[in-house]
Amino acid sequence: MTSSALKPVQLVSVATAVPDCVLSNDELGQVVDTSDEWIFPRTGIRERRILPPDRSLVDLATAAGREAIARAQLDPMDIDIVILATSTASERFGSAGAIQGVLGAKRAVAFDLTAACTGFVFAVATAAQFLQTGCYRRALVIAADVLSRTVDWSDRRTCVLFGDGAGAVVLEAGQTAGLLGMELRSDGTGCDLLTLRNEAEPHQLTDSIQVGQYRNQFIAMNGREVYKFAVREVPEVLEKTLFHSGLEAKEVDGFFLHQANQRILDAIAARMDVPVERFASVMDRFGNTSAASIPLALADWVERGELTVGQLAVAAGFGAGLTWGAIAFRWGRLDD
Ligand code: UT7
């Protein structure tokens, strides 16, 4: 298929779901040797949300997905494909199927996609391929993570950073181009910098055969190196995405970057010579919610009227893998 035959794709709605429970920096100071004075200036994080043990990632993701479908003025039966971007599925065979079932999106094929904090960008890019080729008409992309279940709560270097949340967007094939361009990258040589591993422990099955049995490890991160990677690579991927989209940074109304650290956003904005006020920031309230952080930031701007239908946006994720990537889009349903 030539590119001229590709159908335009629009991002028509966004919604989020976060747990009610708030964990502040001061409260974390009772758990590990830390303080708001250390955390806030270095990260921009004041508090994060924590999912209670009796609620699941599927509950959170389904709530975000249901609301995104309603805001798109659609019915779950209108959805052709559900992609769940997550690194913290409770079901390792994939949680997208459970979400599809609860939503009643019976016509939709559903699967998980794992790309850490770049998951939302990779999932939107993946869903768009199905719509652009005409294979499907409408996609629900949900990005949800519950990193509170994966951190070592005695490790102050990591446990202060992460929080729980979910965000969802509906993508639709239309007449006018919403999605304008993308650039997706991976570098597996950096895979040890940020990990959430299952390690195989040996188990003697018979006299002659040993099998490995998975044991979950906590999140581990080389913060300094990941920081350097983000500040080095993200401006380049943003510039390439803008180039593919025929845009210049100064035309973009809102930048929606992965919410890992306010200092990273400040440094990237400075490198791109864009006022940092055009970079959405919600990490003070939610911390780093991995895949969910971009739709949380996007929804914040859309709900406050900071990004309106037809305005230009760029979203960029970066994180474990290493993975990073960006998409440029004109927001909203553009054919009405
Ligand atoms: O989501 C995926 C992408 N992730 C990221 O992009 C994260 C990128 N990295 C970062 O944002 C930063 O590296 C961090 C915020 C994680 C850490 O900031 P840093 O300035 O690189 O701190 P550091 O790890 O080098 O630690 C500096 C000092 C150490 O003390 P010493 O060894 O110098 O005495 C740490 O032990 O700060 C200490 N420290 C803390 N102190 C109080 C580390 N964490 C804490 C803490 N409270 N929570």
Side-chain angles (χ1 to χ4, degrees):
M1 181 173 281
T2 61
S3 61
S4 59
L6 294 178
K7 292 187 189 307
V9 172
Q10 303 170 9
L11 285 82
V12 299
S13 71
V14 62
T16 62
V18 292
D20 295 333
C21 173
V22 176
L23 176 64
S24 69
N25 289 348
D26 288 337
E27 285 168 305
L28 261 175
Q30 299 159 27
V31 181
V32 285
D33 182 13
T34 193
S35 61
D36 186 55
E37 290 69 37
W38 192 93
I39 301 169
F40 184 70
R42 274 190 183 69
T43 67
I45 298 167
R46 286 259 190 232
E47 59 189 37
R48 67 289 291 145
R49 301 299 179 99
I50 305 292
L51 191 69
D54 62 346
R55 292 197 62 217
S56 72
L57 177 100
V58 170
D59 298 333
L60 208 55
T62 304
R66 184 179 286 122
E67 181 61 18
I69 293 170
R71 288 184 184 184
Q73 295 169 307
L74 297 172
D75 184 89
M77 287 291 278
D78 296 325
I79 302 294
D80 302 304
I81 177 168
V82 177
I83 303 181
L84 172 67
T86 189
S87 308
T88 50
S90 44
E91 172 57 76
R92 279 185 280 167
F93 284 141
S95 289
I99 295 165
Q100 181 251 22
V102 181
L103 284 174
K106 289 188 189 162
R107 292 178 48 254
V109 61
F111 58 85
D112 290 23
L113 181 155
T114 299
C117 307
T118 320
F120 175 76
V121 169
F122 281 14
V124 168
T126 302
Q129 309 306 306
F130 289 96
L131 306 191
Q132 286 175 331
T133 56
C135 179
Y136 295 131
R137 177 108 205 276
R138 293 191 181 98
L140 175 66
V141 169
I142 308 176
D145 269 308
V146 286
L147 288 162
S148 70
R149 295 183 178 186
T150 68
V151 296
D152 176 353
W153 285 104
S154 66
D155 177 9
R156 69 178 181 174
R157 287 167 305 139
T158 51
C159 76
V160 303
L161 304 172
F162 299 105
D164 303 337
V169 293
V170 170
L171 276 71
E172 201 170 68
Q175 303 300 318
T176 314
L179 192 60
L180 301 171
M182 63 178 75
E183 175 82 13
L184 312 178
R185 305 294 302 276
S186 297
D187 177 9
T189 64
C191 68
D192 292 332
L193 294 179
L194 180 45
T195 58
L196 181 55
R197 291 208 164 121
N198 282 323
E199 252 169 41
E201 288 201 333
H203 171 71
Q204 201 71 40
L205 194 65
T206 69
D207 286 346
S208 59
I209 297 177
Q210 266 198 341
V211 292
Q213 296 269 269
Y214 274 152
R215 227 185 83 179
N216 294 342
Q217 307 293 305
F218 293 124
I219 277 190
M221 177 166 74
N222 181 333
R224 289 235 167 126
E225 289 305 316
V226 175
Y227 187 102
K228 284 194 260 175
F229 144 73
V231 172
R232 185 179 65 241
E233 299 294 348
V234 176
E236 189 188 327
V237 90
L238 286 169
E239 293 291 358
K240 285 192 169 151
T241 302
L242 290 168
F243 179 75
H244 297 323
S245 310
L247 296 172
E248 285 184 45
K250 62 174 187 274
E251 296 175 76
V252 176
D253 298 292
F255 288 85
F256 301 91
L257 268 59
H258 170 50
Q259 308 280 299
N261 187 325
Q262 184 61 44
R263 284 162 52 215
I264 293 178
L265 300 194
D266 293 344
I268 293 171
R271 282 203 185 186
M272 297 192 63
D273 200 20
V274 170
V276 75
E277 295 71 36
R278 267 194 270 148
F279 281 60
S281 178
V282 294
M283 71 196 91
D284 57 333
R285 285 179 280 155
F286 303 123
N288 179 345
T289 54
S290 195
S293 81
I294 294 173
L296 280 174
L298 179 64
D300 182 68
W301 273 41
V302 169
E303 284 164 12
R304 290 190 297 105
E306 292 279 329
L307 185 76
T308 56
V309 173
Q311 285 195 303
L312 288 167
V314 177
F318 53 90
L322 297 169
T323 54
W324 66 108
I327 51 171
F329 55 97
R330 211 172 266 287
W331 170 248
R333 192 176 262 133
L334 303 168
D335 296 334
D336 288 347

